[in-house]
Amino acid sequence: DAGVIQSPRHEVTEMGQEVTLRCKPISGHNSLFWYRQTMMRGLELLIYFNNNVPIDDSGMPEDRFSAKMPNASFSTLKIQPSEPRDSAVYFCASRSEQETQYFGPGTRLLVL
Amino acid sequence: KQEVTQIPAALSVPEGENLVLNCSFTDSAIYNLQWFRQDPGKGLTSLLLIQSSQREQTSGRLNASLDKSSGRSTLYIAASQPGDSATYLCAVILFTGKLIFGQGTTLQVKP
């Protein structure tokens, strides 16, 4: 398996623009997680899905952030409108029951 | 609210030294605990997963221990090598499956 795939790997955008980050989990995994990593706050869980259903979105910072998982092989994290403070590395991870999480390489987002 | 703390934040050692990284958590009601490694500009790689019923796990030169009652875990690295240079993250796993991470310890092993 290719592991967790994220795209794009790097994104530079201007404040106010919409940003969409994409994730393809490992085939057969039924849980998917979105994290954000910054120097100040470290690694934080934003939201996670189990069997395509959002279970805990308490980490989503505000209404500008939304996440979807339309099927078992694809998820998106959208920021609209983006702000400079959203600049961070966004990781997607997936796992199957009772096993460890496997992380993708991350998307490095810079909002100017 | 569960909080995870890692000490020290950074560590520099000469090659060959044995070292210990520390992780503490405020709520002992955890499902498991996991140690990850992160190389610069990369994602996280799982090193060791300790289930709450276990006290330690070993993989090669790495040994992780868990003491739930005191809210502590340690990662022991034997005979450190320059290739061990990375950031090491500790995460507690809640019963919901959610992971809460510490801020990490950045390790530099000098040749």
Side-chain angles (χ1 to χ4, degrees):
Chain A
D1 199 312
V4 176
I5 299 172
Q6 290 187 246
S7 64
R9 293 293 311 277
H10 302 272
E11 177 82 21
V12 181
T13 191
E14 293 186 346
M15 182 174 63
Q17 296 298 307
E18 177 180 293
V19 175
T20 299
L21 310 182
R22 297 173 176 79
C23 176
K24 176 178 169 49
I26 293 173
S27 176
H29 284 189
N30 63 342
S31 296
L32 183 141
F33 304 78
W34 281 102
Y35 293 89
R36 178 173 67 177
Q37 187 176 37
T38 61
M39 288 292 292
M40 289 295 295
R41 300 175 66 90
L43 197 61
E44 302 173 286
L45 178 67
L46 299 177
I47 184 171
Y48 80 92
F49 296 84
N50 195 44
N51 294 321
N52 311 338
V53 176
I55 302 300
D56 183 347
D57 65 354
S58 59
M60 296 286 264
E62 48 197 274
D63 291 345
R64 297 183 298 106
F65 285 70
S66 63
K68 294 182 179 179
M69 191 164 187
N71 57 62
S73 59
F74 184 66
S75 177
T76 59
L77 178 67
K78 186 175 292 186
I79 309 173
Q80 166 63 18
S82 58
E83 297 182 3
R85 61 193 168 118
D86 301 331
S87 298
V89 182
Y90 291 81
F91 289 103
C92 176
S94 71
R95 69 162 190 172
S96 59
E97 292 290 341
Q98 306 300 324
E99 293 193 1
T100 188
Q101 292 186 21
Y102 291 85
F103 280 73
T107 294
R108 196 169 296 270
L109 174 65
L110 177 61
V111 183
L112 302 174
Chain B
K1 180 184 174 185
Q2 178 74 265
E3 293 184 0
V4 181
T5 304
Q6 290 187 246
I7 295 174
L11 183 62
S12 180
V13 301
E15 181 177 3
E17 269 203 14
N18 302 324
L19 57 101
V20 175
L21 307 182
N22 297 292
C23 172
S24 61
F25 46 96
T26 54
D27 188 342
S28 62
I30 65 171
Y31 185 55
N32 295 324
L33 185 140
Q34 193 162 7
W35 283 91
F36 292 87
R37 168 184 173 140
Q38 185 175 28
D39 292 287
K42 304 289 186 182
L44 278 68
T45 301
S46 177
L47 296 174
L48 290 165
L49 172 68
I50 311 175
Q51 297 181 358
S52 60
S53 58
Q54 299 175 318
R55 294 193 65 84
E56 64 178 290
Q57 277 284 348
T58 298
S59 175
R61 294 183 293 107
L62 305 180
N63 175 275
S65 68
L66 173 62
D67 184 343
K68 279 182 58 177
S69 60
S70 66
R72 295 180 188 276
S73 176
T74 60
L75 179 66
Y76 175 82
I77 303 177
S80 58
Q81 302 171 357
D84 296 331
S85 298
T87 296
Y88 291 81
L89 292 150
C90 160
V92 298
I93 305 172
L94 306 183
F95 290 94
T96 57
K98 182 175 180 177
L99 269 66
I100 300 177
F101 285 86
Q103 289 279 46
T105 294
T106 298
L107 171 66
Q108 182 184 31
V109 181
K110 297 179 180 179

